[in-house]
Amino acid sequence: MIHFSFEPPGSGSPWRDTWGKACQVSPAAISEIDLCYKYFGVRVELVVDGVEVISGQGYLTLVDLALSLRHALNRLSSGEDSAIGFTENDEVIRLRREGDRVVMTSSKHDWRVSVDREELAGAFVEFLREAHSRLTGFVPELADNPVIRVFSQE
C-alpha cells in the first residue's frame, strides 16, 4: 500500500510566504529554477508498505519534487531505473526495476521496500495531478506556465 500526500504550510509558517510570493509576479513566466527553489514549500509524506520513504517532518519545494517524480516516472515507464532527488538535502531515493516490481532504497537510511511498478506509477501520477490541481487552483495563471504543464502530461 502506498500513501503519498503533501500539505501546504499553514498561516503563520514562514514557508507560507513561498506560496504568497507567487502571486506577486507573473505566474506564467516564472522560470523553472525559481519554481524549484523559491516557491511552494510543502510537507510531503510517502509511505510504502509501512516504510517512511519521505518523512512529513520538513518542507520540500513542490515543483522540484514534482519534476523529479515526472522524470522518474518517464524512466520507469521506459523500463529504466531511476531516482528521486531533493534540493533541500542530499538524500537520493533509488528506484530499481525488478520485473513488475520496483525496489526502493535510500542513500541515507537503511530500508528497502519493493512495490508493484503499476501501483507506484499510479501513485506518482496521482501526486502530479494533485500538485497541478493545487497549484493552478491557488494561482490560476500557473496553468499557462510550461513547467507546471509538464505535471499533467500522461
Side-chain angles (χ1 to χ4, degrees):
M1 186 178 119
I2 298 174
H3 169 78
F4 199 6
S5 65
F6 67 91
E7 193 62 41
S11 61
S13 168
W15 282 91
R16 186 71 185 165
D17 291 344
T18 65
W19 285 72
K21 287 178 182 177
C23 299
Q24 300 169 3
V25 296
S26 174
I30 301 174
S31 71
E32 180 175 335
I33 196 133
D34 284 347
L35 284 167
C36 287
Y37 297 110
K38 292 183 179 180
Y39 300 104
F40 307 113
V42 292
R43 288 190 186 274
V44 177
E45 183 175 64
L46 173 57
V47 179
V48 179
D49 291 338
V51 174
E52 189 176 64
V53 176
I54 301 175
S55 165
Q57 298 301 310
Y59 283 92
L60 304 172
T61 53
L62 181 57
V63 174
D64 190 46
L65 177 59
L67 290 174
S68 187
L69 290 174
R70 172 50 65 196
H71 177 74
L73 183 60
N74 291 345
R75 287 184 57 92
L76 289 172
S77 296
S78 297
E80 301 173 80
D81 294 344
S82 191
I84 301 168
F86 306 93
T87 297
E88 295 77 8
N89 65 60
D90 60 352
E91 182 176 20
V92 175
I93 306 297
R94 292 181 211 89
L95 309 169
R96 190 179 72 248
R97 291 217 27 197
E98 288 187 358
D100 290 340
R101 301 197 64 79
V102 175
V103 175
M104 303 174 78
T105 57
S106 168
S107 63
K108 293 187 93 171
H109 303 284
D110 190 27
W111 51 258
R112 178 184 190 275
V113 65
S114 175
V115 64
D116 179 80
R117 185 181 59 81
E118 290 299 322
E119 183 182 3
L120 183 62
F124 282 10
V125 166
E126 186 57 36
F127 187 96
L128 290 166
R129 282 185 187 140
E130 180 65 16
H132 185 271
S133 175
R134 295 284 283 276
L135 289 169
T136 58
F138 186 76
V139 183
E141 296 85 4
L142 281 173
D144 295 326
N145 188 297
V147 176
I148 304 303
R149 282 196 304 249
V150 168
F151 298 0
S152 60
Q153 295 175 347
E154 291 295 323

